[in-house]
Amino acid sequence: MTDPAPQPAFVLVRPQMGENIGGAARAMWNFGLDRMRIVAPRDGWPNPRAVAMASGAGRLLDNAGLFDDTAAAIGDCDFVFATTARGRGLTKPVMTPQAAMDKARDLIGQGRRVAVLFGPERAGLENDDVARANAIISVPVNPDFASLNLAQCVLLTAYEWRRQGVTIAPETTEMAGSEWASQIELDKLAEHYEDRLDTAGFFFPDHKAPGMKLNLRNMWSRMPLTRADVQMLHGMLRQMVRWKEHGD
């Protein structure tokens, strides 16, 4: 089950609700992380509500490390991030999740062991927890409502870890079994419409006809048409012509 690739440990410190522990496990596994550690869960461990909420990521809970305190949970790590939305009056680097996970990748690439601390739902990490961290992760949330659900905070951080580890195109097109139309197919489509519109007297007056035809050609070239689109447009025009001829 455990992903052999080096990764940070996500440490849930004194989590209060089993549902949030399960939601955190699900969020971690969504992005390929499976090193969960749990510190003094309020409702004991194991927790059936956590298993129910994990929804397929229950194996993370089975393999999670259980610790009595934060110091024990991060004892084998040499760089620790603490997530918090509040100023703590402590002199530490404060990073966005993106910058923090970038640094985590760099550190892990050097063979170092990294952990990320997530605090309990009610008030977050205590200052004693944050004081043990090397750097703080702060999510740029609405200052008038800065409280993040535990699983949400885990998901944001896990997403940034995953995003920087894989190459993802910012936009792709699902072709649905078709292919992009070739230039010659677009040319034939343009000729078909131009011929039928010319017959219908669309290009009027005559001195504007060249410019109108140029605009029509330019319109086809701007449209990202598939071969199926081109075939449909040909068929639409043919049907309209048949209907007109039948009506006459």
Side-chain angles (χ1 to χ4, degrees):
M1 165 60 184
T2 302
D3 190 329
Q7 59 178 261
F10 276 24
V11 184
L12 311 187
V13 180
R14 297 179 297 278
Q16 296 171 310
M17 298 178 63
E19 292 87 346
N20 283 333
I21 300 173
R26 184 173 181 176
M28 288 176 63
W29 193 229
N30 279 152
F31 297 103
L33 294 169
D34 60 8
R35 312 288 169 78
M36 175 181 278
R37 301 179 182 186
I38 304 171
V39 176
R42 183 191 66 182
D43 297 335
W45 196 255
N47 187 318
R49 292 183 176 180
V51 175
M53 190 64 184
S55 185
R59 289 174 292 177
L60 270 73
L61 305 179
D62 295 337
N63 295 329
L66 184 63
F67 299 86
D68 292 330
D69 54 45
T70 304
I74 61 174
D76 63 336
C77 299
D78 50 38
F79 198 97
V80 178
F81 294 95
T83 58
T84 178
R86 297 183 286 118
R88 299 305 186 116
L90 300 171
T91 303
K92 290 184 184 294
V94 179
M95 303 179 177
T96 64
Q98 178 181 353
M101 291 301 95
D102 183 57
K103 184 174 182 65
R105 281 196 176 276
D106 181 57
L107 292 168
I108 290 173
Q110 300 172 30
R112 301 179 66 178
R113 295 178 178 177
V114 176
V116 183
L117 301 177
F118 299 88
E121 298 88 325
R122 185 179 63 83
L125 293 168
E126 296 179 358
N127 279 355
D128 285 347
D129 300 313
V130 178
R132 298 179 183 278
N134 303 92
I136 288 172
I137 298 175
S138 182
V139 180
V141 294
N142 176 7
D144 294 327
F145 190 63
S147 177
L148 276 177
N149 173 272
L150 171 60
Q152 291 173 332
C153 191
V154 168
L155 184 141
L156 281 170
T157 310
Y159 165 75
E160 289 297 345
W161 170 265
R162 177 74 173 181
R163 188 175 67 85
Q164 296 175 34
V166 295
T167 301
I168 303 174
E171 180 178 343
T172 60
T173 301
E174 175 57 56
M175 297 302 293
S178 187
E179 300 175 351
W180 292 117
S182 67
Q183 195 62 46
I184 191 169
E185 289 169 327
L186 293 176
D187 286 342
K188 293 297 182 182
L189 180 66
E191 290 171 5
H192 187 189
Y193 271 76
E194 186 176 312
D195 178 61
R196 291 302 184 180
L197 290 171
D198 202 5
T199 300
F202 177 77
F203 300 113
F204 180 85
D206 289 345
H207 70 277
K208 290 188 177 181
M212 295 172 71
K213 292 179 180 179
L214 181 64
N215 287 339
L216 184 62
R217 290 271 178 163
N218 191 47
M219 181 190 75
W220 294 124
S221 69
R222 290 200 315 270
M223 297 174 67
L225 298 174
T226 66
R227 301 186 69 181
D229 295 332
V230 169
Q231 292 167 4
M232 183 180 68
L233 288 166
H234 277 300
M236 289 167 57
L237 187 56
R238 292 190 187 101
Q239 186 60 33
M240 286 189 289
V241 170
R242 292 191 192 101
W243 173 81
K244 178 64 171 62
E245 292 173 347
H246 178 75
D248 290 343

